[in-house]
Amino acid sequence: MLEIKSLRKIYYGKTGGVEALKHVDLKMEPGEIIGLFGENGAGKTTLLKSILGFLDYQGEILLDGEKIDRSNIARLSYATCEHSFFPNLTPEEHRDFYKMHFHTFRGKRFAALMDFFELPGKKAVKHYSVGQKNQFEVILALCQGAEYILMDEPFAGNDVFNREDFYKVLLGILEPEETIFLSTHLIEEVEHFIGRAVLLRQGRIAGDITTLELEEQGRTLMDYVREVWHYRPDRVNKAFFSYTAERRDL
């Protein structure tokens, strides 16, 4: 189990500190597929990077009761739209490198996903398109052999049909013990892929619900998000009215 206890992150600058995460508590069980949703600046990327130890923070993050360090960090993998691969290497060279460093590397899965995305194995990744680079980033995260796979907007630059097919493939290849923690803005698109939704708002957990609970309540994930975020559909009309009123006064 991955457990986050009272996680707090403050970014300090010349004018003081900005609290990006405010006492976040969260548990992830093996085998869960969790969607992480939030507005821009809600703290999603900060949360993922804190789990991985990329940032200093206050609070505790435990993996089966142990702090995350060099002894167990390989149980986590990360797919980021910022990219973490070696651009001058080919996918085949990445495969060989990962095999050397991760004894749990999933070679057959790597080959199957490379074939699915139709990515050239002997071409340096720096020559890939943006969409292809994002696909390869996801492949590496899924094939490392990690139990907890964190993804931060991994499907940016990919068309809707490619994404839809990938969700289906992913559900078919995941092992029962593998956990996906997926940060994305594609709320409606991933609703039938995830089993649980966690909502961040202004650095706090604002909602945490399973898709089964939503189904039993007769609500969609988007309905739930709108409710938790206190979305006001009239704000567009109000803004437009104010703008046109100002134009008339000119």
Side-chain angles (χ1 to χ4, degrees):
M1 180 174 65
L2 184 61
E3 188 172 8
I4 301 167
K5 298 181 179 181
S6 196
L7 179 63
R8 190 167 179 244
K9 172 60 184 175
I10 302 175
Y11 290 103
Y12 291 98
K14 293 181 180 180
T15 58
V18 176
E19 194 173 19
L21 294 174
K22 305 171 183 177
H23 302 286
V24 170
D25 292 292
L26 189 64
K27 292 181 181 180
M28 285 178 264
E29 300 285 352
E32 288 193 283
I33 302 179
I34 306 168
L36 177 64
F37 307 102
E39 300 160 305
N40 291 331
K44 301 186 300 297
T45 297
T46 296
L47 175 57
L48 295 176
K49 289 185 175 181
S50 295
I51 294 172
L52 292 158
F54 295 165
L55 301 172
D56 294 328
Y57 57 82
Q58 299 173 23
E60 281 190 302
I61 301 177
L62 305 174
L63 184 55
D64 291 339
E66 302 290 336
K67 290 184 177 181
I68 298 173
D69 55 27
R70 291 185 179 182
S71 68
N72 58 7
I73 188 63
R75 295 178 61 192
L76 306 176
S77 66
Y78 186 42
T80 167
C81 55
E82 298 172 354
H83 301 149
S84 60
F85 47 69
F86 304 105
N88 291 319
L89 297 185
T90 68
E92 291 182 356
E93 290 169 333
H94 277 88
R95 177 199 60 201
D96 295 340
F97 177 82
Y98 269 57
K99 281 184 177 180
M100 289 173 57
H101 291 84
F102 302 104
H103 71 277
T104 53
F105 183 77
R106 299 177 182 273
K108 290 183 179 179
R109 179 183 290 184
F110 180 88
L113 290 175
M114 287 291 295
D115 183 63
F116 170 75
F117 284 120
E118 299 180 337
L119 297 179
K122 299 182 182 297
K123 183 178 181 180
V125 181
K126 67 180 179 181
H127 298 304
Y128 278 8
S129 69
V130 173
Q132 288 177 320
K133 289 176 180 177
N134 292 336
Q135 290 166 354
F136 186 63
E137 179 82 7
V138 171
I139 289 175
L140 289 178
L142 287 170
C143 296
Q144 177 184 309
E147 298 160 49
Y148 292 85
I149 303 163
L150 281 55
M151 298 184 176
D152 191 5
E153 295 291 351
F155 306 115
N158 290 290
D159 64 80
V160 62
F161 300 111
N162 210 328
R163 294 195 304 265
E164 183 177 331
D165 286 344
F166 181 65
Y167 299 139
K168 296 175 183 176
V169 169
L170 190 54
L171 287 174
I173 66 173
L174 287 176
E175 298 293 337
E177 71 278 3
E178 290 180 284
T179 299
I180 301 288
F181 193 34
L182 168 65
S183 170
T184 180
H185 290 288
L186 304 174
I187 297 172
E188 292 177 303
E189 191 170 295
V190 302
E191 179 172 7
H192 301 294
F193 165 66
I194 63 173
R196 177 182 166 198
V198 172
L199 275 59
L200 267 182
R201 184 171 175 81
Q202 298 178 351
R204 299 183 186 276
I205 299 291
D208 188 347
I209 194 168
T210 67
T211 52
L212 179 59
E213 289 174 310
L214 287 173
E215 184 179 337
E216 291 173 345
Q217 295 169 13
R219 292 193 293 171
T220 66
L221 178 56
M222 185 59 78
D223 291 336
Y224 179 70
V225 171
R226 287 195 179 103
E227 176 188 320
V228 172
W229 287 355
H230 305 292
Y231 174 70
R232 295 180 295 106
D234 63 328
R235 70 174 185 164
V236 175
N237 292 333
K238 287 182 178 179
F240 181 74
F241 177 79
S242 298
Y243 172 75
T244 53
E246 289 178 4
R247 294 277 294 182
R248 287 195 299 269
D249 292 338
L250 294 177

